[in-house]
């Protein structure tokens, strides 16, 4: 669970280190802080069968837990008990991730999809049943500009808005498609739906529209929890970050001081929230590395110049 203040807490089974807290305990009943990710503005967290993946607002991907099939994307099959940086996805501009039982899929801002981990049922979409220890682009989807991805236990589903089609690959022998046995699908192929999907939606809330049509399909595919994130916007931002309108309200005192004070303390007591508030908006933050901070220092300067107009706010910050 990612808190509004940017901290990540995990609990439950820990047989493969999937909690990321360096604990040897096989079961943890109380939420534990994942110290390794402190200060990193997280956008999303995904859990697989016994592995976990998270992506930051700047597209940095971290993985930990079971790695028998290479599902952590680190180039080996060694389990990790704390978050490890997935260097192979550096500068990939990852905006969304999804985990199956033993495989992982990542979506880039440009709509590319890469998969890694267990491939025995074709769930990686590479026209083979080989496992992949490193992220590999699904070539069949190249140029399709995928907007949503979701992984089931041994299968993967993606949505291409320009074609208004869902594509499926992986195990078809578990009742996902129909009650009868189906062969594994090694490459992405479109699903024939009884209704039109996105194009039948005239509202501005396209994601909600996909969700309303997609919910029955989720159960048809025997996917339940994995679709919670599927229909939400790819650019997730659950942590508290600065908004220009909010700062304007602080300065003009159009909100109660108690509310302003609470907001300021929430954001400025968290390294993750501060970092997330001043990311370079011009895609440069996707180049964040040891050499590139990804922070727009001119925005930091502009913010402080702005709040100087109200000394009470300035002192609180």
């Amino acid at each position: 669970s990612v808190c509004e203040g940017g901290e990540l807490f995990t609990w439950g089974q820990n047989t493969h280190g999937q909690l990321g807290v360096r604990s040897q305990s096989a079961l943890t009943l109380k939420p534990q802080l994942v110290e390794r990710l402190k200060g990193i503005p997280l956008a999303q967290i995904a859990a697989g069968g016994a592995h976990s993946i998270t992506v930051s607002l700047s597209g940095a991907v971290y993985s930990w837990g079971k790695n028998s099939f290479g599902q952590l994307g680190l180039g080996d099959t060694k389990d990790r008990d704390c978050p490890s940086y997935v260097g192979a996805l550096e500068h990939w501009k990852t905006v969304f991730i999804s985990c199956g039982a033993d495989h992982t899929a990542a979506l880039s801002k440009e709509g590319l999809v890469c998969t890694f981990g267990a491939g025995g049922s074709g769930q990686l979409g590479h026209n083979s049943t080989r496992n992949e220890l490193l992220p590999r682009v699904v070539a069949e989807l190249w140029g399709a500009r995928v907007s949503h991805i979701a992984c089931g236990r041994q299968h993967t589903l993606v949505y291409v808005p320009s074609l208004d089609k869902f594509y499926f690959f992986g195990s078809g022998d578990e009742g996902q498609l129909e009650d009868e046995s189906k062969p594994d699908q090694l490459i992405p192929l479109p699903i024939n739906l009884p209704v039109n999907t996105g194009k039948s939606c005239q509202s501005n809330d396209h994601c909600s529209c996909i969700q309303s049509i997609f919910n029955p399909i989720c159960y048809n595919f025997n996917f339940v929890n994995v679709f919670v994130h599927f229909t939400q916007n790819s650019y997730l931002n659950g942590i508290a970050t600065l908004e220009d309108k909010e700062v304007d309200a602080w300065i003009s005192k159009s909100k109660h001081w108690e509310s302003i004070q609470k907001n300021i303390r929430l954001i400025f007591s968290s390294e993750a929230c501060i970092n997330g508030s001043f990311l370079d908006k011009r895609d440069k933050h996707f180049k964040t590395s040891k050499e590139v901070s990804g922070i727009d220092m001119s925005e930091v300067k502009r913010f402080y110049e702005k709040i100087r107009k109200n000394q009470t706010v300035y002192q609180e910050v």
Side-chain angles (χ1 to χ4, degrees):
S1 174
V2 180
C3 297
E4 196 177 11
E7 303 93 349
L8 174 64
F9 290 88
T10 58
W11 62 94
Q13 286 193 345
N14 193 40
T15 49
H16 296 274
Q18 60 262 48
L19 298 186
V21 292
R22 293 185 182 274
S23 170
Q24 300 301 314
S25 175
L27 180 66
T28 301
L29 300 179
K30 293 182 179 180
Q32 304 288 313
L33 176 65
V34 181
E35 294 277 359
R36 172 72 176 81
L37 297 173
K38 187 179 179 183
I40 298 173
L42 301 179
Q44 184 214 347
I45 175 76
H51 71 291
S52 306
I53 311 266
T54 190
V55 60
S56 78
L57 291 176
S58 59
V61 178
Y62 296 84
S63 61
W64 62 98
K66 185 180 178 182
N67 196 31
S68 307
F69 301 93
Q71 59 262 52
L72 300 187
L74 301 172
D76 57 41
T77 56
K78 180 184 175 185
D79 290 356
R80 303 295 199 279
D81 63 3
C82 75
S84 298
Y85 179 63
V86 184
L89 288 174
E90 188 167 301
H91 307 328
W92 168 258
K93 297 184 181 180
T94 306
V95 293
F96 196 85
I97 39 156
S98 185
C99 298
D102 295 301
H103 77 289
T104 308
L107 176 67
S108 78
K109 187 180 179 184
E110 277 78 23
L112 294 172
V113 177
C114 70
T115 56
F116 44 101
S121 298
Q123 62 265 51
L124 302 184
H126 302 308
N127 198 22
S128 80
T129 55
R130 291 196 308 269
N131 301 334
E132 297 288 344
L133 305 186
L134 289 168
R136 180 180 171 186
V137 174
V138 181
E140 294 286 340
L141 295 171
W142 190 273
R145 290 194 71 90
V146 171
S147 66
H148 297 77
I149 61 173
C151 295
R153 193 167 75 87
Q154 293 179 328
H155 36 264
T156 308
L157 192 68
V158 305
Y159 177 65
V160 180
S162 61
L163 302 175
D164 192 29
K165 286 185 181 294
F166 290 94
Y167 288 79
F168 170 89
F169 44 103
S171 175
D173 197 23
E174 298 171 11
Q176 294 95 332
L177 295 173
E178 293 176 11
D179 292 334
E180 60 191 59
S181 178
K182 289 280 185 179
D184 293 341
Q185 206 156 281
L186 305 185
I187 60 171
L189 290 176
I191 303 167
N192 293 318
L193 301 178
V195 293
N196 194 17
T197 52
K199 289 179 182 175
S200 64
C201 305
Q202 300 301 318
S203 69
N204 292 327
D205 194 354
H206 186 70
C207 285
S208 294
C209 193
I210 293 175
Q211 183 172 10
S212 65
I213 296 169
F214 193 62
N215 280 340
I217 304 172
C218 302
Y219 291 99
N220 205 27
F221 274 75
N222 201 22
F223 297 156
V224 184
N225 295 326
V226 295
F227 280 101
V228 171
H229 284 112
F230 183 90
T231 50
Q232 292 180 5
N233 195 310
S234 297
Y235 306 97
L236 300 178
N237 184 1
I239 68 172
T241 53
L242 286 173
E243 300 283 345
D244 274 338
K245 289 181 180 179
E246 187 73 18
V247 176
D248 290 338
W250 294 354
I251 296 168
S252 64
K253 298 179 181 177
S254 60
K255 282 192 172 184
H256 291 297
W257 173 244
E258 290 78 12
S259 174
I260 295 172
Q261 193 176 42
K262 183 181 177 182
N263 212 338
I264 289 173
R265 289 185 178 181
L266 173 64
I267 294 172
F268 287 92
S269 64
S270 164
E271 295 168 44
C273 293
I274 296 170
N275 287 332
S277 295
F278 296 108
L279 287 180
D280 197 311
K281 301 298 192 296
R282 300 181 298 278
D283 268 20
K284 289 184 180 177
H285 65 282
F286 283 118
K287 298 178 181 177
T288 301
S289 65
K290 289 180 180 179
E291 294 75 32
V292 181
S293 72
I295 300 295
D296 187 344
M297 293 307 293
S298 65
E299 278 296 306
V300 177
K301 184 179 179 182
R302 188 176 73 86
F303 167 73
Y304 277 101
E305 287 174 349
K306 194 172 187 178
I307 63 170
R308 278 183 184 275
K309 298 173 186 175
N310 185 317
Q311 280 300 307
T312 308
V313 170
Y314 182 78
Q315 290 301 325
E316 187 64 31
V317 170

